[in-house]
Amino acid sequence: MRFSSLEQTNALIGFCRKVAGWPSPLAGLGYEVEGLEFDIVIGQGDLVVLDALLVSEVLGHALAIETKEGGNVNVEQERRLAELTPAQLVQRGVRVRTLDSLLVCDEAETSRAIRALEDNAITLPVFGLSRSMFRVRHLHLRDRKTEDAIRSVSLRGKEIPHFIQVAVTADVRQLLSPLSAVITEGIAQTAAGGRRDLDRDGLCQALFPGGLWSRVPPHQQGQLRSRVEDAMAALLKDAFRGRVERGPRGRWKIVATESASTARALQALPRRVARSSRGQIVIPEEQLLLPIEEYEENT
Amino acid sequence: MQPPVSSRKEFVDLFESSLLRAHELLLEERALQFEFNLPKTYLVEFHPVGGISPSTDLLEKRLAHLSERLHFRAIRIADDLFQVSAPKLSLVVDAANPRFTLFHTLTDSVTADAFVFRHFVSKTPAFDQVWFSPEFLERYAAGVTVEGWGARFTPFVERREVEDVTYSPKRVRVEIDEPGAWDRFVHFRTSSDFAHLPLDVVRVRSGGDGRVGRARVSSGGKLTARGNSFLHYQQLAIGLRDEYARDIASLETRYRVLFPPERTDRVAMRGEPYWIEFPKSLEDFEPLLGRMFSGTIPFRLVGFLEQPRPRFFRIHAVDLHIATRLYVEATPRWLRVFLPEHGCGNSLVRIVRSLQYNVTDKLGLPINA
């Protein structure tokens, strides 16, 4: 299975952080995530959208990154990315002296992307991400320290940390687990005397926290709202029946009965969700580890 | 029955005289009578749901809201002081730090423990026990006079293990109160005498010139007073609270994963996941995950598990203690915990210490890195 654009972005964010089970080649060079879905207007109003902008204050250097799931190249976008200058970033308030633009692809797609760039005389370094390796596949970075740090990073046996957990393109099935947690949080908060309603935009905001939701392009926001509604309908059919009721126009009401919000009722929700949808798993109750006191008391 | 108080001065005087009476009685009879219960303090975290900052006014509202459901009466007796009363129970709640409150009581341990731990904290999201991890207690002990310590390790077990007649649990319970106790702990900790020795209790002392406050500090956030000075004891409690509050603030600053919108036209990313490494690959990893996200004690997390690859899990979870989501990634070698914007550092500590007391005390943690 190919790495999605989101997984590639998460992998790069992870390179800037010290995290168990994931290498941090850029953290030591002082790289921070300065922008996600970062857009810059250049020339006559042309737009470059960076999936990630990583900046090292230590080096005064920026990495302007576009990630790609497939090997198709948008020639105009890649040309603008290749021609991006530090001055254009400075105009956007990013304090850097030097800049490297690069393309990151799934390893299996790099050859196709490189061919397309060469055919169109676009000078843009390409890195490939596979399950075992992140490595440079085409050209080199201007900044030698950065190049040395990421030219070949072993990823064997490692798992990408999901800083951003949900993809904008997530299908209904992929939305079920994160939405289940948002609904469960709502039920528990209702039991605590907090909120009672869920609404479509609030759910989207919960899936894309902070400023992420506002960076999702409007047409994708619309599509996602619609899939969130479908996922809610699926969850209300069985797993959350009797706990959440559909209200008017993209709103849902949490039914805060005492029995629906007790710890025992909340504990049962993962089993209910797993029973009614594919993708979730449940460890059978008889296999759970026991606190030894509990075992002794119960026997 | 503990008489009601109407000011901070009355509260301190009452506890001072009670501790002194108990101290004298101990000296005379070497035993305590029912009426002379030792002062006790419970550190309780107040973490309003929805990311609202805790305040004494909010705490007053919350206590009023809960009082009917949990059958107690709450009266505000000063700006940052409340009296909580129920049949056979009286507590003075010091909310000078409204997030980390001190519940003081002269009520007997059985009644007070039952109310605070089983009735109040476990049934009311927005309140949580304070969880002193073994590292925290060790660090705290290094800066005070230690008179004794206790350690406890009660491993989780598989059902088939305990049903095997030859099974013997690898449980550890040690408590030592004697001169040089701390040196012995340090010795045990660095030797291989015990496979696991997570610190669970420290007995500490403060004072001079014949006035002394002693506290038995347990990892669940409970302090029991001894000595002849409540004021010295109170200083110990306040010192602990402040040190813990600093720790939690530091965890939350570093380990909340945030996507702050900046200047309306961009979003950055700050923070990182908290990570926990096991000393070796856990054999019973999946049964442990099942326990962790079953919504039961000690973790109290409900989780929706996905398994994208063998031995790798992604879990969208809810912390039932404070009704807030968190996201976890797990393999048999490590866990990564992603706290959201209003996620609670206290929950991180609860996860870590639950693993230390029940799975292994040899965790690799960012604070040890």
Side-chain angles (χ1 to χ4, degrees), chain A residues 7 13 37 57 68 76 79 83 99 108 120 146 163 171 188 215 226 236:
Chain A
E7 282 175 304
I13 296 173
E37 292 294 321
E57 279 191 21
K68 279 200 169 298
E76 285 316 306
R79 198 182 301 284
E83 290 170 0
L99 163 75
N120 291 282
T146 307
F163 293 85
D171 60 26
R215 303 306 299 156
S226 155
L236 262 59

Side-chain angles (χ1 to χ4, degrees), chain A:
Chain A
M1 211 156 104
R2 286 187 309 204
F3 283 112
S4 67
S5 179
L6 175 70
E7 282 175 304
Q8 292 172 33
T9 303
N10 276 323
L12 291 160
I13 296 173
F15 284 171
C16 303
R17 294 279 183 273
K18 279 201 180 307
V19 183
W22 192 247
S24 48
L26 294 176
L29 296 176
Y31 276 96
E32 288 283 345
V33 181
E34 192 61 31
L36 296 164
E37 292 294 321
F38 186 90
D39 47 25
I40 308 168
V41 179
I42 57 170
Q44 303 300 308
D46 294 328
L47 196 66
V48 183
V49 181
L50 308 177
D51 290 301
L53 176 67
L54 311 182
V55 171
S56 164
E57 279 191 21
V58 178
L59 301 175
H61 189 72
L63 293 175
I65 301 167
E66 186 183 341
T67 58
K68 279 200 169 298
E69 184 172 337
N72 288 335
V73 161
N74 177 335
V75 173
E76 285 316 306
Q77 158 81 5
E78 292 358 320
R79 198 182 301 284
R80 288 194 287 265
L81 177 64
E83 290 170 0
L84 199 63
T85 64
Q88 287 162 333
L89 285 180
V90 171
Q91 275 190 333
R92 278 284 265 113
V94 181
R95 286 166 47 185
V96 288
R97 292 189 302 276
T98 52
L99 163 75
D100 271 306
S101 294
L102 61 139
L103 198 64
V104 176
C105 304
D106 185 281
E107 175 75 22
E109 300 291 344
T110 48
S111 302
R112 200 147 64 96
I114 292 165
R115 232 181 0 257
L117 292 174
E118 284 178 338
D119 289 351
N120 291 282
I122 299 170
T123 309
L124 192 62
V126 177
F127 282 71
L129 176 69
S130 70
R131 197 143 285 293
S132 61
M133 186 75 87
F134 179 81
R135 60 175 172 160
V136 64
R137 292 298 312 274
H138 181 57
L139 301 178
H140 293 278
L141 301 182
R142 293 188 185 99
D143 187 80
R144 286 297 301 271
K145 283 185 180 166
T146 307
E147 162 100 8
D148 288 348
I150 58 172
R151 76 163 65 213
S152 173
V153 183
S154 171
L155 305 177
R156 197 168 294 281
K158 301 190 187 311
E159 295 290 349
I160 294 173
H162 290 74
F163 293 85
I164 304 168
Q165 288 123 33
V166 181
V168 176
T169 52
D171 60 26
V172 169
R173 190 185 59 77
Q174 290 166 326
L175 289 171
L176 294 178
S177 287
L179 268 181
S180 295
V182 178
I183 302 169
T184 305
E185 177 187 56
I187 294 172
Q189 291 188 354
T190 302
R195 62 175 172 175
R196 288 181 178 274
D197 292 322
L198 300 168
D199 66 74
R200 203 174 44 186
D201 274 12
L203 292 173
C204 292
Q205 180 70 54
L207 298 176
F208 296 88
L212 284 178
W213 181 237
S214 67
R215 303 306 299 156
V216 177
H219 72 281
Q220 288 190 321
Q221 284 191 354
Q223 290 167 358
L224 194 84
R225 282 193 192 97
S226 155
R227 290 196 297 275
V228 162
E229 286 218 38
D230 292 345
M232 286 298 284
L235 288 168
L236 262 59
K237 245 186 224 166
D238 183 12
F240 290 92
R241 194 171 58 196
R243 290 159 174 78
V244 180
E245 288 174 356
R246 190 179 178 86
R249 297 173 61 178
R251 300 187 79 85
W252 296 269
K253 188 170 178 56
I254 294 170
V255 186
T257 60
E258 190 71 20
S259 61
S261 53
T262 59
R264 195 169 288 275
L266 295 174
Q267 286 159 15
L269 290 174
R271 280 171 210 287
R272 293 173 66 124
V273 172
R275 202 174 53 218
S276 62
S277 60
R278 285 186 302 126
Q280 286 72 37
I281 63 149
V282 167
I283 314 290
E285 201 150 351
E286 62 277 10
Q287 282 180 21
L288 299 191
L289 290 185
L290 294 168
I292 194 152
E293 298 94 332
E294 189 180 303
Y295 181 83
E296 288 173 350
E297 277 167 25
N298 290 340
T299 50

